Amino acid sequence: MKELKFNLKLLVYRKELYFAIFIIFLVNIIQCFMAIQYSSGLNLFVENGYSAEYQTILYNNTVSLNSIIIIVFPIVCSMIFSDSSWCENNDRIFHVLYPRLNHRKNSIIRYGLSFLVPFVICFLGFMMNYGIMRLVFQSGTLGTFFNDVGFYIRSNSNFLDSLRISNPVFYIVSISCVVSFAVGLLSSLSYSLSVFFKKRVFIYFIPLFIIILFELILSKLNLSSISFVRLLQPNTSFSMEEVIILSIFVIFIGLLIEFIKSKKKDYLL
C-alpha cells in the first residue's frame, strides 16, 4: 500500500520522532537514577528495600514523575504526527513533488500511526525503566512493600489489583500498556483535531486541552471517574469499564473527524 509506505518514509525523516524518543527515554532514565539515589541514601537495597516493581516510574510514589507523564509525554508524543497535515497544507511545493495518494486511506493510516508510534515508544521506555530497576533492586512480590514475602499486604480496588499481588511482573507490563494506550489515544485525537488550528504552535498543546476539557465536562456530568488523568496514573482507582468507555468515545470522535476529512477528493500530495 503506497499510502503506508509514504507515511513510514515521512515518519523516518521527521525530527519530532527522534525528539519524542529522546525525551521519553531520558525521563525514564532520570527516574531510575533518582530512585537509586534515594534508596542508596537510606541504605535500602535488596534485603531491606523496595522491590523493582515498586521502584518503577509508574508505581513509585516516593520518587514520582506523574506530572511529567500526564503533561509532557502526551505533548511530546503528539508532536510526532499531529502537525504533519498542517505542514503539508501550508507547503505548496509538497503537493507537486509527491505522487497521487488516496486521501481517505492516507488519513486513516496516519491516524493509526499517530496512535501506534507513541504507544510503542512509551511502552518501550517504561519497559527499559523496569528492566533497569530489576537489575538494581531485583524482583519481589507486589503483595508486600518489601522483598520479604508477607511483610505487609495491602489491597485496594484499583485496576488490575489482583495481578498486583498474584503476578507483579505482568502487572507492570499491563499498567505500562494502559498508560501507553492513553498517550496513543491523545496523540491520535490530536492529529484529527489539528485540522481546526491555524497556528502550528497550538497543535502541540492539543493533548493538554483535551485532558483539561475532559476533566471539566465529565466532572460536571458526575463522571469524574472517567478521566485521562486517572488513566495516566495507573496507581489510582479506575475500572476496566471506565477505560473501555473513554477509549470508545475518543476513538469515535477521532474516526468521525477523519471520515469527514476523507470526504474530500483525492489530491496531489
Side-chain angles (χ1 to χ4, degrees), residues 220-245:
K220 292 293 184 180
L221 297 174
N222 293 323
L223 297 173
S224 57
S225 59
I226 304 176
S227 165
F228 268 113
V229 174
R230 287 176 176 267
L231 205 58
L232 291 167
Q233 296 182 89
N235 204 17
T236 59
S237 297
F238 60 91
S239 66
M240 187 63 178
E241 290 77 13
E242 294 166 357
V243 176
I244 294 175
I245 292 173

Side-chain angles (χ1 to χ4, degrees), residues 12-234:
V12 171
Y13 286 103
R14 282 185 65 86
K15 297 179 181 178
E16 291 83 355
L17 169 65
Y18 304 102
F19 176 72
I21 293 174
F22 173 76
I23 294 298
I24 298 300
F25 278 73
L26 178 64
V27 171
N28 278 280
I29 292 173
I30 289 175
Q31 194 273 340
C32 288
F33 281 109
M34 292 173 63
I36 293 171
Q37 183 181 29
Y38 177 82
S39 295
S40 62
L42 298 177
N43 196 26
L44 297 176
F45 280 96
V46 186
E47 293 86 359
N48 299 317
Y50 294 100
S51 65
E53 288 75 21
Y54 278 108
Q55 300 283 9
T56 58
I57 189 171
L58 297 179
Y59 202 91
N60 196 325
N61 291 322
T62 305
V63 183
S64 176
L65 297 179
N66 283 343
S67 58
I68 294 179
I69 295 175
I70 295 172
I71 299 174
V72 177
F73 277 26
I75 292 176
V76 169
C77 287
S78 70
M79 293 173 65
I80 298 174
F81 252 131
S82 62
D83 66 341
S84 57
S85 295
W86 185 95
C87 293
E88 293 170 4
N89 293 333
N90 288 272
D91 188 351
R92 297 179 181 178
I93 299 178
F94 189 90
H95 295 270
V96 179
L97 292 178
Y98 286 84
R100 191 176 186 87
L101 299 178
N102 182 287
H103 181 64
R104 176 174 295 181
K105 290 181 180 179
N106 184 68
S107 182
I108 295 300
I109 288 174
R110 191 166 291 180
Y111 174 81
L113 289 175
S114 297
F115 167 82
L116 183 61
V117 175
F119 173 87
V120 172
I121 293 174
C122 288
F123 182 76
L124 291 179
F126 295 144
M127 288 297 96
M128 179 202 66
N129 178 274
Y130 178 48
I132 295 174
M133 294 304 186
R134 286 202 61 152
L135 289 174
V136 177
F137 298 100
Q138 300 184 13
S139 180
T141 172
L142 275 176
T144 71
F145 264 113
F146 298 92
N147 283 340
D148 39 331
V149 178
F151 177 82
Y152 178 62
I153 296 179
R154 66 168 185 170
S155 177
N156 53 43
S157 59
N158 75 340
F159 182 52
L160 293 177
D161 195 58
S162 59
L163 276 179
R164 181 179 63 85
I165 297 174
S166 62
N167 194 327
V169 176
F170 189 64
Y171 176 77
I172 296 300
V173 174
S174 298
I175 63 175
S176 297
C177 284
V178 169
V179 176
S180 301
F181 182 79
V183 174
L185 284 179
L186 288 168
S187 300
S188 59
L189 187 55
S190 298
Y191 165 72
S192 298
L193 294 174
S194 63
V195 69
F196 300 110
F197 291 83
K198 294 183 178 181
K199 295 291 185 179
R200 185 179 182 181
V201 66
F202 293 149
I203 295 175
Y204 300 141
F205 292 95
I206 291 178
L208 192 57
F209 297 151
I210 295 173
I211 292 174
I212 295 174
L213 187 63
F214 268 64
E215 291 296 314
L216 292 175
I217 294 177
L218 294 177
S219 62
K220 292 293 184 180
L221 297 174
N222 293 323
L223 297 173
S224 57
S225 59
I226 304 176
S227 165
F228 268 113
V229 174
R230 287 176 176 267
L231 205 58
L232 291 167
Q233 296 182 89

